[in-house]
Amino acid sequence: MSLRVLVVDDQGIVRAGFAAVIDAEEDMTVVGEAADGAQAVRLAAELAPDVVVMDVRMPELDGIAATRIITGREDAPRVLVLTTFDLDAYVFDALRAGASGFLLKDVHADELLHGIRVVASGESVLAPSATRRLIGHYASGAGAGAGSRDGSGPRELGTLTGSQRNVLALVASGLNNAEIAEELGVAVGTVKSHVNALLRKLGLRDRVQATILAYDLGLTRPNPPGTHL
């Protein structure tokens, strides 16, 4: 089945370009286009896309606010934010709003398509510059104690088993499932089960949100810039 994609951008030529690239793929179909955040919210509800490719700076309702509304719904699509502006506030706000990925608009077409497939699969993707900013932000101590996006805190963490807390810390350190399995000496399938369980217990959508929560609560310290999430 084709991935259903909604493309959101206030510039018609940019929107059309993204849509053409996406529609050319055998495993993707553009089911709609929106010119602002308000239209994106409405079409996301009407068209039930798998992934929303979302611009940030738009009239009526910006992409961050639209993302927060869309991802707050039941059976919400994944949101991949694309922006021309590589600013700290956009990175943090987009991820806290529920986006599963953040890329700059100057990415190669192959990177965009890969990003759509990655977030559709339930994983997360960040532009290298966004990863450096996120890690640097917390490495400096600026993010400590800020609180998670959805209010999760120590009480919710108390529902995790010891193994799940260990996996959460390793996820926040930027390790993938295979690397975590090697670190803990367990099967990759076991790690996947732990990740799924901790996301469910904490009410988080994906590994990016889990990473932000772990940083906010001081459960882990980020690795040096260059680590991928």
Side-chain angles (χ1 to χ4, degrees), residues 96 145-160 168 198-205 209-210 212-219:
R96 291 186 184 280
S148 68
R149 180 186 62 84
D150 62 357
S152 296
R155 184 175 62 181
E156 288 78 3
L157 289 175
T159 67
L160 301 183
L168 174 58
L198 69 88
L199 291 178
R200 182 179 67 253
K201 288 181 178 181
L202 298 176
L204 304 174
R205 291 183 59 82
Q209 289 191 2
I212 290 175
L213 175 61
Y215 287 175
D216 280 349
L217 298 177
L219 298 181

Side-chain angles (χ1 to χ4, degrees), residues 98-110:
S100 295
F102 185 99
L103 296 175
L104 297 180
K105 286 184 179 179
D106 61 0
V107 296
H108 191 275
D110 288 343

